[in-house]
Amino acid sequence: MTTDRPIRVIVVDDQPLVRAGFVMVLEAQADIAVVGEAGDGAAALELLAPVPADVVVMDIRMPVMDGVEATKLLVERGDAPKVLVLTTFDTDEDAFAALQAGASGFLLKNTPPEDFLSAVRVVATGDSVVAPRVTRLLLDRFAGRLTPEPEPRDARLDVLTDRERGVLELVGRGLSNTEIADSLFIAEATVKTHLSRILAKLQLRDRVQAVVLAYETGLVRTER
């Protein structure tokens, strides 16, 4: 992402009034430009073919093609825009599936506008947005559906040091870098270094994928 132009955003939501609200909030920012809107995932994919974008704000539940499938197809394109999923926690049980599909983060639809705008900017830089408190809620509710009982030790984790495994476990539990540093009595910069190495060793794109892997491998388990 260059810094000499606005962040190009496409908003995808099947509810016109909701979509208009997001567009209004985004367009009020000098560093953000809405370059397109769509009412379902299929329309979003068609729109993104000729229209370049940096971030797609994606709803989950939509007709024709939902946000999970659209996210998966977008990510498979390779050099695709980042996807920021918006979900309603009480009804959307597909939020975790969207993260597995490759979304760079998720927010609840009742997120304050300033947090929403911050998330768009963070995702545009290539980072991910996983609000720790929301992570705990969503993963505790949905992650147990990913697989049957995982093996006690997954071979994918063998490339990590004990410290890196510990960091990954805390990431999976939804802790922020600051909270991990406090928990392990290390500097926050050291946490960032460990996380970078974890992502590189496990060939993960971002923190979101690290959270997913922590559950998939059984490093973190949901309470039953």
Side-chain angles (χ1 to χ4, degrees):
M1 250 272 342
T2 60
T3 57
D4 57 353
R5 61 167 174 75
I7 299 168
R8 300 165 299 184
V9 179
I10 285 179
V11 180
V12 187
D13 195 298
D14 65 321
Q15 299 181 53
L17 285 177
V18 172
R19 193 167 68 241
F22 288 132
V23 170
M24 181 176 65
V25 170
L26 291 165
E27 286 283 22
Q29 308 304 306
D31 62 333
I32 297 175
V34 176
V35 295
E37 302 176 40
D40 62 75
L45 292 175
E46 184 176 351
L47 175 63
L48 281 162
V51 179
D54 302 304
V55 177
V56 177
V57 176
M58 184 83 75
D59 188 18
I60 290 286
R61 298 288 177 89
M62 296 182 290
V64 186
M65 180 185 292
D66 63 27
V68 174
E69 182 65 16
T71 297
K72 180 175 180 293
L73 293 174
L74 264 181
V75 171
E76 288 176 351
R77 288 183 177 181
D79 187 19
K82 303 299 182 181
V83 178
L84 177 62
V85 169
L86 296 179
T87 180
T88 303
F89 174 69
D90 291 336
T91 59
D92 283 329
E93 298 190 359
D94 295 322
F96 198 82
L99 299 185
Q100 283 188 295
S104 292
F106 62 83
L107 293 176
L108 302 185
K109 282 193 174 180
N110 61 359
T111 296
E114 59 270 23
D115 292 343
F116 167 58
L117 292 168
S118 174
V120 170
R121 294 180 176 112
V122 168
V123 168
T125 67
D127 206 341
S128 58
V129 177
V130 184
R133 187 172 300 176
V134 179
T135 300
R136 296 187 190 104
L137 290 173
L138 284 173
L139 296 185
D140 283 347
R141 181 170 177 180
F142 304 132
R145 304 179 186 183
L146 285 174
T147 60
E149 291 300 318
E151 293 297 322
R153 184 180 183 89
D154 192 295
R156 285 177 288 178
L157 301 182
D158 289 347
V159 297
L160 303 181
T161 65
D162 289 342
R163 174 62 88 188
E164 288 166 349
R165 285 172 62 92
V167 171
L168 178 59
E169 179 181 352
L170 295 178
V171 169
R173 294 188 184 281
L175 273 66
S176 66
N177 287 348
T178 301
E179 291 170 328
I180 294 172
D182 291 343
S183 176
L184 298 179
F185 303 102
I186 59 178
E188 187 171 348
T190 304
V191 174
K192 293 178 181 178
T193 298
H194 283 310
L195 184 55
S196 294
R197 290 174 179 165
I198 290 168
L199 297 180
K201 287 182 177 182
L202 297 176
Q203 298 182 339
L204 303 175
R205 185 183 59 253
D206 53 33
R207 193 186 192 95
V208 172
Q209 288 194 334
V211 172
V212 172
L213 185 74
Y215 276 81
E216 287 181 329
T217 58
L219 187 62
V220 177
R221 300 191 185 219
T222 54
E223 297 293 331
R224 303 296 183 107

